[in-house]
Amino acid sequence: LFIRADVPEAKNADYRTESWQAITLPHTFNAGDANQGGDTSRGEKEGVYYRGPGWYRRQLEITPVAGQRYVLQFDGAALVTDAWVNGKSVGHHEGGYAAFRFDITDALRAGDNLITVRVDNTRVPQVAPLTGDFNVFGGLYRTVSLITTGDVHVDLMDHGGPGVYMTTKAISAQKADVGARILLKNDGAQAAKIAVKTRILDADGKVVATAKTAVSLAAGQALPVEQAFTVRRPHLWAGRKEAYLYSVIVEVGSDRVTVPLGVRTVSIAPDKGFLLNGQPYRIYGANMQQPGRKGKGTAVSDAEIDEDMQIMDDMGVTALRLAHMQHPQRVYDDADRMGILLTTEVPLVDEISAGQAFQDNAVEQMQELIAQNYHHPSVALWGLGNEIRHT
């Protein structure tokens, strides 16, 4: 249920919602009024669309199990988000384009649970973007999901990322040296001994490398685990020539995390230009705003994202700049399989502030961008900002 207004009492169980609208996610409360633009940096009047709070409520029937953790994942909500479960605050997030998570375990009870979320796309001085030639679509405009896992698990609070970092260290025709950095967390009240099992599978599902590490974690401890692999006769991720993808499966107790792996290296040399796997690689393409549709805003489906990326693929691009902010994960997934290189950036655009709070938020958005997209072989460059006109 949704209402476009500010109703702080909505987090209370006895609040009545007869006037609220039934909606499905993803959802933006600017789908109907954000069609008018206006670039304030060029002296134009800003588009007339609602910038303010909206509230969401969802009843969830669940019986928590001892030894399990329950985490809400928001794939994107603009611009500032607060959430409550059964009236108890479970999290606050500032930033409109990265995924983030709230651990709701301690707020759950057996049976019916009330989840309440407030999302506000008002301009605030400490959160980028402050201005830009685009609309800030408010609401839960990407999906929301519930993750369950054991007390000992791959860390879910690593800036919204999968907690698994795979790095190609060296490549030859005979082998590829690959390193894994896996972030663990013990959210239980007791120390635990556990095995970290990792497998690398080729595109046909055949296991080509494995590692197993025994780990002891104290109660509440977070610990990184390093593993090393050798992939024999590696099949390279070579951009448009061949976008070959391995997959990595990490198992920690009952927890299981899967990420793609593209065996490749990227670099830039003054005399040779951009190098993919040590060889010059021609880069040509386009800037692409985050996917949207008239009448839906940025609350788009995977099929609509695929449609946009298919247009890029049909054009024959070898690279894309994802302007001006972090895009949905589906864009990066499609680029991985299509062999399209990406530069991806945080929304430091047009106007920035010298204040410490703004700088801290910009750093956090950059950490989220990297943690959530490090595992995509399509990502070649990280963007610190763009089109800075006012400071």
Side-chain angles (χ1 to χ4, degrees):
L1 297 174
F2 167 76
I3 190 169
R4 195 169 82 170
D6 200 9
V7 284
E9 61 274 22
K11 59 181 174 288
N12 301 324
D14 58 356
Y15 177 80
R16 302 182 69 85
T17 57
E18 286 87 350
S19 62
W20 288 38
Q21 176 188 4
I23 57 97
T24 57
L25 300 183
H27 170 267
T28 174
F29 49 70
N30 297 118
D33 67 358
N35 293 321
Q36 300 180 47
D39 184 358
T40 57
S41 68
R42 296 187 175 94
E44 301 171 3
K45 183 180 179 181
E46 185 175 3
V48 180
Y49 66 102
Y50 179 79
R51 295 199 68 172
W55 286 74
Y56 298 83
R57 280 174 47 126
R58 172 77 153 84
Q59 298 290 142
L60 179 67
E61 187 170 341
I62 189 171
T63 300
V65 177
Q68 293 284 310
R69 307 302 298 182
Y70 300 84
V71 176
L72 278 180
Q73 173 162 319
F74 298 80
D75 289 336
L79 193 59
V80 176
T81 305
D82 292 276
W84 297 262
V85 174
N86 299 321
K88 180 179 180 180
S89 175
V90 293
H92 173 83
H93 181 265
E94 297 182 347
Y97 306 102
F100 57 95
R101 300 181 180 123
F102 297 152
D103 190 324
I104 66 172
T105 307
D106 296 337
L108 290 173
R109 62 193 178 205
D112 201 30
N113 291 267
L114 173 64
I115 300 174
T116 312
V117 181
R118 181 186 189 271
V119 186
D120 192 339
N121 68 336
T122 303
R123 169 178 161 146
V124 287
Q126 75 273 16
V127 181
L130 297 178
T131 57
D133 58 350
F134 50 85
N135 293 325
V136 179
F137 288 86
L140 298 175
Y141 73 97
R142 296 181 189 158
T143 55
V144 180
S145 53
L146 179 66
I147 300 171
T148 62
T149 188
D151 276 342
V152 181
H153 53 85
V154 177
D155 196 350
L156 289 164
M157 298 304 167
D158 178 39
H159 305 287
V164 176
Y165 296 82
M166 304 298 297
T167 304
T168 301
K169 306 283 189 179
I171 298 175
S172 69
Q174 290 74 36
K175 66 174 185 173
D177 296 326
V178 177
R181 180 177 172 85
I182 301 163
L183 307 183
L184 303 183
K185 182 69 186 297
N186 180 7
D187 280 315
Q190 305 293 328
K193 293 183 178 180
I194 201 157
V196 180
K197 304 174 185 178
T198 304
R199 292 173 289 156
I200 298 177
L201 282 64
D202 66 15
D204 296 322
K206 179 183 177 182
V207 176
V208 296
T210 63
K212 182 176 180 180
T213 306
V215 180
S216 297
L217 292 98
Q221 184 181 11
L223 182 71
V225 172
E226 305 280 350
Q227 294 179 329
F229 306 85
T230 298
V231 178
R232 302 292 178 185
R233 295 180 296 280
H235 208 138
L236 302 187
W237 191 91
R240 296 312 301 262
K241 180 180 178 181
E242 185 176 16
Y244 190 91
L245 289 171
Y246 294 86
S247 59
V248 180
I249 301 174
V250 178
E251 294 176 302
V252 180
S254 62
D255 195 14
R256 179 184 173 113
V257 175
T258 302
V259 296
L261 170 65
V263 176
R264 60 97 174 106
T265 60
V266 295
S267 60
I268 299 174
D271 57 336
K272 296 181 179 179
F274 184 87
L275 304 177
L276 178 61
N277 299 322
Q279 300 298 316
Y281 191 79
R282 293 176 64 87
I283 297 224
Y284 46 90
N287 294 321
M288 189 174 79
Q289 297 276 359
Q290 69 165 333
R293 292 292 185 277
K294 185 176 181 179
K296 297 180 70 173
T298 50
V300 294
S301 67
D302 283 348
E304 288 164 326
I305 295 172
D306 292 346
E307 182 180 39
D308 286 0
M309 290 298 288
Q310 189 59 51
I311 292 171
M312 299 297 107
D313 186 48
D314 292 344
M315 285 169 55
V317 304
T318 65
L320 289 172
R321 171 201 167 207
L322 303 184
H324 295 273
M325 66 280 292
Q326 184 170 334
H327 284 220
Q329 279 296 302
R330 186 73 170 201
V331 171
Y332 302 89
D333 292 338
D334 284 352
D336 286 348
R337 65 178 180 81
M338 291 175 173
I340 299 174
L341 290 163
L342 300 175
T343 176
T344 184
E345 61 201 25
V346 289
L348 284 177
V349 53
D350 190 32
E351 181 180 344
I352 64 174
S353 168
Q356 188 61 49
F358 182 88
Q359 292 183 48
D360 291 345
N361 179 260
V363 169
E364 172 61 24
Q365 291 199 52
M366 194 73 199
Q367 290 173 318
E368 290 173 330
L369 177 71
I370 294 172
Q372 293 170 32
N373 296 290
Y374 186 92
H375 59 281
H376 289 293
S378 56
V379 174
L381 296 170
W382 307 105
L384 293 172
N386 62 98
E387 301 175 20
I388 303 300
R389 299 185 179 94
H390 307 287
T391 60

